[in-house]
Amino acid sequence: MIHEVVSRLPPESTQQAVGYPSLFLLVALGALVPVVPTGALVSSAAVVAVHQSSPFALLYVFAVASAAAFLGDVSLYWLGRRGVRSKNGSKWLRAISDRAAPERLAQAQQKLDEHGAMVLVLSRLVPAGRIPVMLACLLGRMPMRRFARGDVPACLAWAATYQLIGILGGSLFPEPWQGVVAAVGLTLLISGAPAVWRRLRARFAG
C-alpha cells in the first residue's frame, strides 16, 4: 500500500516546489507550538533528498530546516519577552511556562549561569530541553541579540543532527518510504526516551 502511494509521487521538481516551503512552515510552526514532530519532518525530508538526483537537495533541506527553526525560536522568544515586560504577562509566556517542568527549569537556570548562551546549543539537541532553557533566558532577561547569536549554532546543530538520521535511513533502504518509516521511528524513539526514563525512575523511586 505505502509502496503504491510512493510510486505515484509527482516528479522531483514538483516535490521540491511544494516540499521546501511546507518543510519551512511546519518547522517554524513546530518551534512556536511544539506539537509538530519537527525532528521527524527534517529526517523524512532528508530521506527523500537522498533519493533525488539533485546534488544540492540535502543542502536545501539543511538550509530550510535551520532557517525555519531559527525563525520560530526568535519569534517565540520575542513573544515571551513581551510577556516578561508586561505587568500582566501574556498567553505566550504562560504557554512557555506551562511546558517547562519546575525541576527542568531549575537545571536550565543553573546551566545558563554556568555556561551562558552555549547552553542553547545543547537545549536544541536534548529532547524537551529547548523550552526550559528558553524560559530561563526569558526570566534572566537575556537580550534578544544575545539569544539570537546563541540560537544560530543551536539551530544549525539541530538541523544537521536530524538530517544525519535521515541520511542514514535513506542510505540503508532502497525505497524512500522505507527510509522515512525508519527515520521517523528513530526520531520518535529519541524524543520519547527521556520522558519514559523519568517516569520509570520516578516509579522505582516512589
Side-chain angles (χ1 to χ4, degrees):
M1 179 66 177
I2 299 178
H3 176 73
E4 293 178 0
V5 173
V6 174
S7 64
R8 298 174 185 173
L9 287 176
E12 285 187 19
S13 59
T14 305
Q15 293 179 37
Q16 293 170 357
V18 176
Y20 294 140
S22 299
L23 177 64
F24 185 91
L25 291 174
L26 289 172
V27 170
L29 177 63
L32 284 168
V33 186
V35 294
V36 179
T38 52
L41 287 173
V42 176
S43 296
S44 300
V47 170
V48 176
V50 167
H51 290 274
Q52 290 182 342
S53 59
S54 172
F56 301 108
L58 287 170
L59 179 61
Y60 292 153
V61 170
F62 174 75
V64 169
S66 55
F70 177 77
L71 177 63
D73 281 356
V74 295
S75 298
L76 184 59
Y77 193 76
W78 179 79
L79 292 168
R81 274 174 56 86
R82 292 186 62 187
V84 170
R85 292 194 298 264
S86 173
K87 293 182 180 179
N88 299 322
S90 71
K91 65 177 183 179
W92 287 100
L93 181 60
R94 288 192 294 271
I96 296 173
S97 302
D98 291 342
R99 297 188 210 124
E103 63 275 8
R104 299 295 298 275
L105 176 59
Q107 293 175 1
Q109 289 175 320
Q110 180 181 355
K111 292 178 181 178
L112 192 63
D113 292 338
E114 295 175 353
H115 304 289
M118 286 304 299
V119 177
L120 288 169
V121 178
L122 293 177
S123 73
R124 258 284 178 185
L125 299 177
V126 175
R130 182 176 68 99
I131 294 300
V133 171
M134 181 179 291
L135 182 56
C137 293
L138 287 169
L139 296 179
R141 297 185 178 274
M142 178 182 289
M144 171 65 79
R145 184 175 299 179
R146 186 183 175 197
F147 176 84
R149 284 201 305 266
D151 197 53
V152 168
C155 292
L156 293 175
W158 172 83
T161 298
Y162 282 99
Q163 183 165 349
L164 284 174
I165 294 175
I167 292 172
L168 179 62
S171 302
L172 290 177
F173 298 95
E175 297 291 338
W177 70 266
Q178 295 172 327
V180 169
V181 171
V184 170
L186 182 56
T187 53
L188 293 179
L189 178 63
I190 293 173
S191 300
V196 173
W197 169 251
R198 286 195 299 270
R199 290 178 183 175
L200 291 175
R201 188 175 60 180
R203 178 176 298 179
F204 286 116

